[in-house]
Amino acid sequence: MSTNRRRHANAIPIASFFTWLCIGSFACVGGLSYVWCKNQLYTTGTDIKSLERELVDLKNKNEVAESKIAQLSSTAKLQERYDTGFIKLVPITNDRITVLSNAAPAPKTGELRPVSNERTHE
């Protein structure tokens, strides 16, 4: 006969609760994604900066090595090392020298030679 009229009055509004739960979850995931991306940018920036420093250091070492190579292979330095006996060189004798020419040898007459057909293909 008498039904409880307050039966639905204290119930939790589930639809509203899940709506706000989804909105809060998306906001939380968005915020965490933003922080993760910013952290990734910072980490990548520091990595790039350290690699650029390393590249500059390697370029400087290359320049030092190239100047050292140029210094050690200079004629004066090589002559000095030869004079002190550090470099053992043997003079080249004329019987060891071969002269090469760029001229092609003249063809011998009466000899078979390969011939190409120089007709143009049209």
Side-chain angles (χ1 to χ4, degrees), residues 36 45 71 73 92:
W36 180 78
Q71 178 187 6
S73 61
I92 300 172

Side-chain angles (χ1 to χ4, degrees), residues 29-103:
V29 168
L32 288 175
S33 297
Y34 176 77
V35 169
W36 180 78
C37 286
K38 284 300 224 179
N39 187 29
Q40 192 72 18
L41 282 172
Y42 177 76
T43 306
T44 305
T46 55
D47 290 345
I48 289 172
K49 190 180 288 186
S50 68
L51 288 173
E52 286 175 348
R53 276 194 225 115
E54 185 179 348
L55 180 64
V56 167
D57 186 41
L58 290 173
K59 283 183 180 180
N60 289 338
K61 285 182 181 180
N62 272 350
E63 289 178 9
V64 168
E66 286 173 356
S67 66
K68 189 74 170 174
I69 288 171
Q71 178 187 6
L72 291 176
S73 61
S74 68
T75 307
K77 188 69 171 178
L78 290 174
Q79 184 65 40
E80 176 188 324
R81 295 182 119 200
Y82 176 72
D83 292 341
T84 60
F86 185 77
I87 299 175
K88 305 291 184 197
L89 296 176
V90 177
I92 300 172
T93 59
N94 286 335
D95 62 333
R96 301 280 187 194
I97 297 175
T98 304
V99 179
L100 302 175
S101 66
N102 290 334

